[in-house]
Amino acid sequence: MARVLPILATQSIILCLAIVSSTAENPNHEFARTVNKKQMGLKREKLSHFRIYWHDILAGPNPSGVQVVPPQNASLTAFGLVRMIDNPLTAGPDLSTKFVGRAQGFYASASQQELGLLMAMNFAFTEGKYNGSTITVLGRNAVFTKVREMPVIGGSGLFRFARGYVEATTAKLDLKTGDATVEYNCYVLHY
């Protein structure tokens, strides 16, 4: 018993010092604090531009876009339709060109007046230095407008703290099958 008391006393002192130390770092017990960018390895912000082609394949034996919620009425805009996507991203307009990643997420027909989609997707890159990095696009896509702009709201990997925008332009559209190829010009500010 005599040996246990000094050990308990030592452990108590260490615990008290740890509590005092952590309280000194955050005396008000706040849940948020300002962080130095350099301590997180963030250096200079840069602007990157890249062009990719998004292939929405609805027909055939292995579609990359699958309807998960049908429209609730016979509207011309398919209002209410929701489609999950795992679309190939390529460096050129043909599906046979270099594969650079996947667009994963969903789009939904969110307009009763025109074909206007709510797009929510991650561009998950698999090529070169961007392998494993993503950018997140969330916005409105008025499908029959020549160039549509949507915001980049974040990212991961090399695109941490990303912000910017994408411009989408339809390269090919098959009205019979619904298959589409869309050129995305991405302008992304990141560290």
Side-chain angles (χ1 to χ4, degrees), residues 7-132:
I7 292 171
L8 287 175
T10 304
Q11 289 176 341
S12 296
I13 290 170
I14 291 171
L15 180 62
C16 287
L17 289 173
I19 291 171
V20 168
S21 174
S22 67
T23 308
E25 287 177 20
N26 193 357
N28 297 326
H29 303 285
E30 295 176 4
F31 69 94
R33 64 186 173 98
T34 302
V35 178
N36 184 326
K37 291 191 295 185
K38 289 181 182 173
Q39 287 178 331
M40 292 193 65
L42 303 174
K43 296 177 182 151
R44 226 180 71 235
E45 193 173 35
K46 54 190 157 251
L47 174 64
S48 294
H49 168 252
F50 47 98
R51 179 182 325 172
I52 53 178
Y53 290 84
W54 179 93
H55 301 273
D56 197 24
I57 304 163
L58 307 181
N62 192 21
S64 64
V66 177
Q67 180 177 294
V68 293
V69 177
Q72 296 300 307
N73 55 39
S75 77
L76 294 175
T77 66
F79 179 67
L81 174 137
V82 178
R83 181 167 281 131
M84 295 302 298
I85 60 168
D86 187 13
N87 290 349
L89 297 172
T90 61
D94 295 321
L95 195 51
S96 61
T97 57
K98 185 177 186 177
F99 178 80
V100 296
R102 305 202 72 82
Q104 298 172 326
F106 69 90
Y107 58 83
S109 181
S111 175
Q112 295 183 48
Q113 311 307 319
E114 64 177 331
L115 190 53
L117 304 176
L118 164 65
M119 307 288 291
M121 60 188 165
N122 291 310
F123 289 168
F125 297 102
T126 58
E127 183 57 37
K129 73 177 187 177
Y130 299 112
N131 183 23

